[in-house]
């Protein structure tokens, strides 16, 4: 998915036309392609030296060894050398067809006048016949997952990340969004800043402010992730696994806590609607996924603790847990 965003206080129609024109009128040359190869190669090397980036992609490679997700979006220094203007044109023709695009305009503007600008811009152009996009995602099994791996880098103290790989994929529309909401609420209950687990681990010095957690879902993958900088990664792994595998008996897994968190989620969603940038980004992404953004609050309100328990029952399994550590180099003085 590629997104382009602009904001403006005036000349909105001119900006919309500029946006439509530059994404629909590509210009690929040998000179330009070669120049970009050098720039992208530098970016790849920069990320290779970034411990947090290596940590995250280390986990993805553990969990998704066959899936394109485990490949850095920029590719490798070697692979980009094979790119030609012809390849770029093929990619453009495949994915930049209007049938695979959506345009979202948010704000105080004359709707019909703006729509007329967009229609006139598109009517003046000719587009090739729409072709069905074929996406090939390799199948994976639990046995493909790597339970643990680690590397050494110039870091002051170890960096740890743990993932729980979801095995239910190809979710669409509101079903996908419900899955996201359940996964996010479950993680908030077990590891949120207000949970007993976080406060106990924080008070005992096991976790600090570097701790972060997330639930990610897309068309062909979903996973939970926990990460922290810690001098005792093995202890943290043990604590996190214990929390995940014993969620049924967790002190934070109560109807009272669930209802509190659900109300907080609803409040955050309502507050986010004050941001035009948030609406445009979220609506564009969710619309493409077949999800109605403005019905999310209704879906949240219908969720119950029993729904979260059923989700946890099928999602959390020791066989789908993977860890990755970035350790300080031996003898490093960083």
């Amino acid at each position: 998915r590629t997104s382009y965003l602009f904001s403006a206080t005036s000349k909105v129609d001119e900006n919309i036309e500029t946006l439509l024109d530059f994404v629909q009128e590509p210009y690929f040359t040998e000179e330009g392609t070669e120049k970009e190869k050098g720039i992208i190669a530098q970016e790849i090397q920069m990320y290779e030296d970034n411990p947090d980036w290596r940590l995250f992609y280390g986990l993805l490679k553990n969990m998704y060894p066959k899936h394109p997700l485990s490949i850095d979006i920029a590719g490798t220094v070697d692979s980009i050398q094979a790119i030609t203007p012809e390849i770029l044109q093929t990619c453009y023709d495949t994915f930049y067809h209007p049938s695979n695009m959506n345009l979202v305009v948010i704000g105080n503007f004359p709707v019909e006048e703006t729509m007329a600008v967009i229609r006139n811009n598109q009517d003046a152009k000719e587009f090739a016949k729409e072709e069905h996009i074929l996406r090939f995602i390799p199948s994976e099994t639990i046995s493909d997952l790597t339970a643990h791996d680690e590397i050494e880098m110039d870091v002051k103290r170890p960096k740890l990340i743990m993932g729980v790989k979801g095995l239910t994929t190809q979710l669409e529309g509101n079903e996908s969004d419900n899955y996201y909401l359940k996964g996010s609420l479950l993680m908030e209950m077990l590891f949120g800043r207000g949970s007993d687990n976080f406060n106990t681990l924080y008070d005992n010095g096991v976790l600090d402010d570097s701790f972060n957690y997330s639930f990610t879902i897309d068309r062909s993958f979903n996973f939970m992730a926990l990460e922290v900088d810690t001098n005792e990664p093995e202890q943290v792994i043990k604590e996190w696994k214990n929390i995940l595998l014993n969620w049924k008996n967790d002190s934070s897994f109560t109807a009272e806590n669930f209802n509190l968190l659900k109300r907080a989620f609803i409040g955050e969603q309502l507050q986010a609607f004050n941001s035009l940038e948030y609406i445009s980004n979220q609506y564009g992404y969710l619309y493409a996924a077949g999800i109605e953004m403005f019905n999310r609050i209704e879906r949240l309100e219908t969720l119950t603790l029993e729904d979260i328990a059923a989700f946890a029952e099928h999602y959390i399994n020791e066989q789908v847990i993977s860890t990755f550590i970035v350790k300080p180099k031996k003898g490093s003085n960083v």
Side-chain angles (χ1 to χ4, degrees):
R1 184 184 310 109
T2 305
S3 299
Y4 303 91
L5 175 73
F6 78 82
S7 60
T9 56
S10 62
K11 298 187 177 180
V12 175
D13 291 347
E14 292 92 329
N15 277 282
I16 289 175
E17 292 213 74
T18 298
L19 175 64
L20 288 169
D21 290 345
F22 87 70
V23 298
Q24 293 181 337
E25 298 174 3
Y27 180 66
F28 304 124
T29 65
E30 290 284 352
E31 181 182 4
T33 303
E34 290 302 315
K35 180 180 178 181
E36 283 300 318
K37 285 182 186 180
I39 295 172
I40 296 172
Q42 290 180 336
E43 291 179 354
I44 292 172
Q45 291 166 342
M46 178 183 69
Y47 282 114
E48 282 292 310
D49 293 331
N50 185 311
D52 292 316
W53 188 259
R54 295 288 299 275
L55 182 75
F56 182 65
Y57 265 91
L59 176 67
L60 295 184
K61 289 177 181 178
N62 277 3
M63 296 195 298
Y64 297 94
K66 298 179 180 179
H67 195 289
L69 181 66
S70 64
I71 304 171
D72 189 311
I73 192 170
T76 65
V77 174
D78 290 336
S79 68
I80 62 173
Q81 300 310 315
I83 295 176
T84 64
E86 290 74 26
I87 290 176
L88 294 177
Q89 187 68 51
T90 298
C91 290
Y92 175 86
D93 293 339
T94 302
F95 296 107
Y96 276 68
H97 192 277
S99 62
N100 198 43
M101 294 180 177
N102 64 57
L103 175 66
V104 181
V105 185
I106 305 289
N108 183 15
F109 58 91
V111 177
E112 289 306 319
E113 292 179 24
T114 301
M115 285 301 301
V117 170
I118 295 169
R119 291 192 183 100
N120 291 336
N121 179 282
Q122 296 299 277
D123 289 344
K125 299 173 182 176
E126 292 186 7
F127 300 101
K129 181 182 176 182
E130 174 188 352
E131 297 289 345
H132 180 62
I133 298 173
L134 299 177
R135 295 178 171 90
F136 300 94
I137 305 297
S139 60
E140 294 182 320
T141 64
I142 292 179
S143 61
D144 293 316
L145 182 144
T146 299
H148 179 77
D149 201 1
E150 54 192 54
I151 60 172
E152 292 184 354
M153 294 186 71
D154 288 326
V155 293
K156 185 174 292 186
R157 59 177 179 155
K159 292 178 175 289
L160 165 68
I161 190 167
M162 174 182 286
V164 183
K165 179 180 179 179
L167 300 180
T168 301
T169 58
Q170 305 302 327
L171 297 165
E172 297 181 356
N174 292 339
E175 183 185 17
S176 172
D177 201 39
N178 284 339
Y179 211 70
Y180 167 76
L181 295 174
K182 292 173 186 176
S184 298
L185 280 166
L186 176 61
M187 294 210 73
E188 192 69 30
M189 292 181 75
L190 297 180
F191 297 101
R193 291 296 198 271
S195 68
D196 292 342
N197 294 322
F198 173 79
N199 287 310
T200 298
L201 295 176
Y202 188 90
D203 291 342
N204 292 338
V206 178
L207 299 181
D208 60 17
D209 291 336
S210 67
F211 175 62
N212 195 22
Y213 55 96
S214 61
F215 182 76
T216 301
I217 184 168
D218 215 302
R219 182 165 39 212
S220 60
F221 61 86
N222 56 84
F223 60 89
M224 296 176 173
L226 306 159
E227 58 182 298
V228 73
D229 294 353
T230 174
N231 290 320
E232 303 293 340
E234 289 77 15
Q235 181 188 353
V236 176
I237 290 173
K238 181 179 178 180
E239 297 282 2
W240 282 351
K241 279 190 175 182
N242 182 57
I243 293 169
L244 287 166
L245 299 176
N246 294 286
W247 62 268
K248 290 181 182 179
N249 303 315
D250 197 282
S251 60
S252 295
F253 202 85
T254 65
E256 180 181 6
N257 190 40
F258 168 72
N259 288 325
L260 183 66
L261 288 174
K262 186 168 76 168
R263 288 196 296 270
F265 262 53
I266 292 173
E268 289 171 4
Q269 187 71 55
L270 289 170
Q271 187 177 33
F273 287 154
N274 289 325
S275 168
L276 299 186
E277 185 171 341
Y278 172 84
I279 295 173
S280 60
N281 273 318
Q282 284 290 300
Y283 194 88
Y285 156 63
L286 294 174
Y287 178 83
I291 299 168
E292 176 47 62
M293 174 182 179
F294 295 104
N295 289 342
R296 174 173 277 182
I297 291 175
E298 293 179 18
R299 290 194 291 276
L300 269 169
E301 289 176 334
T302 62
L303 288 179
T304 65
L305 182 63
E306 289 71 27
D307 292 329
I308 307 303
F311 176 89
E313 187 70 49
H314 95 269
Y315 203 94
I316 300 176
N317 181 326
E318 189 165 13
Q319 289 181 297
V320 295
I321 295 177
S322 177
T323 53
F324 191 89
I325 302 175
V326 175
K327 290 186 172 181
K329 287 183 178 179
K330 292 182 176 63
S332 174
N333 294 319
V334 174

